[in-house]
Amino acid sequence: MDVCVRWSDRIDDLVDDADEIGQALKASAQAYREAEHEAKGALPDDPAVDVADG
């Protein structure tokens, strides 16, 4: 029984860690989306279109 309790506690810790990592990734993704949105607004056109279309 002691082994089961220890395993359960460790699994709970791992799930908590995974949740923290997920929330940090979500916050990072949001920050990148906001930065991209602001940068996109600063450029009237995509400067690479003419180069890509050759």
Side-chain angles (χ1 to χ4, degrees):
M1 186 63 166
D2 188 43
V3 171
C4 290
V5 169
R6 285 192 317 227
W7 268 92
S8 178
D9 289 345
R10 298 308 169 256
I11 299 263
D12 288 343
D13 290 341
L14 288 172
V15 168
D16 290 343
D17 289 348
D19 185 49
E20 287 180 33
I21 291 168
Q23 290 183 22
L25 289 171
K26 182 178 178 181
S28 294
Q30 181 63 32
Y32 275 104
R33 276 193 297 272
E34 290 172 5
E36 183 178 8
H37 180 72
E38 289 176 21
K40 185 178 177 183
L43 291 173
D45 296 329
D46 185 349
V49 169
D50 292 334
V51 175
D53 291 342

